[in-house]
Structure formats: C-alpha cells, structure tokens
Amino acid sequence: MTHIIKPVRLSFLALATTLAAATHSIPAALRFEPNAGQTDARALYIARSPRYNIFLTRTGAVVAPRHSSQGVAIRFAGANPAKFEGIMPLEGVTNYFLRSAKPIANVPTYERVVAHGIYRGIDAVFHGDAGDLSQLEYDFVVAPDAD
C-alpha cells in the first residue's frame, strides 16, 4: 500500500494566526525590565503589551499607546519617591541594538516590580497580563501597624 503525502502550503499569516490561537488561552505575564538606557531616563522600569507601553516612574506609572509620546499617568497622591525592585525573575534577557547608541545587552526581566515605601509602611507591587492592558494591576502591601 502506498501513501501519497501532499505538500501543504501555509502562509505566514495563517501560521501566525494558528500560533496565536494555540497560545491565546495561556495568559502571559507582563515582562518588566529595568531601564538600562533603552527608554526615557524618567522610567525606572518598562513593560510592553501588544498595544501599550507601561513606564514605572518614582511617582507612579504611565501607560502610553505604542509609538506614541502621550499617555495616561497613574500617580499616588502624596506618595514618597519609591525605591523600585524587580521580583520574580523570568527566564531570558532582553538585548537592544539601537541606531544612535551602543548595544544594551543582558537586561533581566521580571514578572513583578515592587515600589518600596510609596507611603510609610506601604509598598505597591505592579504586575499584569501582557495580552490585555486591562490586566495591569498593582497591589498595596501594608506592613503591620502601618497607617
């Protein structure tokens, strides 16, 4: 018995759609990376979703559509300038090859970023789902006896 295998032509778009459908059910965490010179110096950490960039600054966050200089700022009223720390490291690193500067290599990525001390005894932890900006979240972590 002979089997004839017919070649299948699959366009790049069909392949990308198939791969996207296969991975759509598994939400991917936002990948926060420290600013090592790859963006505006006011941003301490940056995360990217398919449609937006998220910049964490000393006073909060800025959410901006990709390829735009305008966005929405989230500021914590009366907050202290925070010290930021990436937690829950993710596998892999990011490398940048910029036209106007030397390459930036081995930038680590994190699932969450903690803004320590935004208020006395209170930290903010940023995290979210990369597929849907509405899943950008922050939690307040309150130390015992903090007000």
Side-chain angles (χ1 to χ4, degrees), residues 58-123:
R58 292 240 180 256
T59 58
V62 176
V63 179
R66 292 188 59 111
H67 311 296
S68 174
S69 60
Q70 307 239 342
V72 176
I74 301 166
R75 291 202 174 97
F76 300 114
N80 300 317
K83 178 182 176 192
F84 283 72
E85 175 188 14
I87 60 171
M88 299 177 66
L90 296 170
E91 289 186 26
V93 295
T94 305
N95 298 298
Y96 291 90
F97 299 93
L98 307 172
R99 291 181 189 167
S100 61
K102 69 179 187 173
I104 301 168
N106 300 316
V107 179
T109 57
Y110 301 93
E111 187 173 329
R112 294 171 183 252
V113 174
V114 179
H116 293 285
I118 61 165
Y119 300 108
R120 191 168 24 129
I122 300 174
D123 299 338

Side-chain angles (χ1 to χ4, degrees), residues 22-65:
T23 60
H24 182 68
S25 61
I26 303 170
L30 282 173
R31 299 178 70 87
F32 291 96
E33 58 189 53
N35 185 2
Q38 72 271 34
T39 193
D40 187 299
R42 292 173 290 184
L44 302 174
Y45 279 80
I46 182 172
R48 294 177 179 84
S49 76
R51 296 182 305 171
Y52 298 92
N53 289 328
I54 299 125
F55 305 94
L56 300 182
T57 68
R58 292 240 180 256
T59 58
V62 176
V63 179

Side-chain angles (χ1 to χ4, degrees), residues 17-28 129 131-132:
T17 304
T18 303
L19 290 173
T23 60
H24 182 68
S25 61
I26 303 170
D129 177 354
D132 182 0

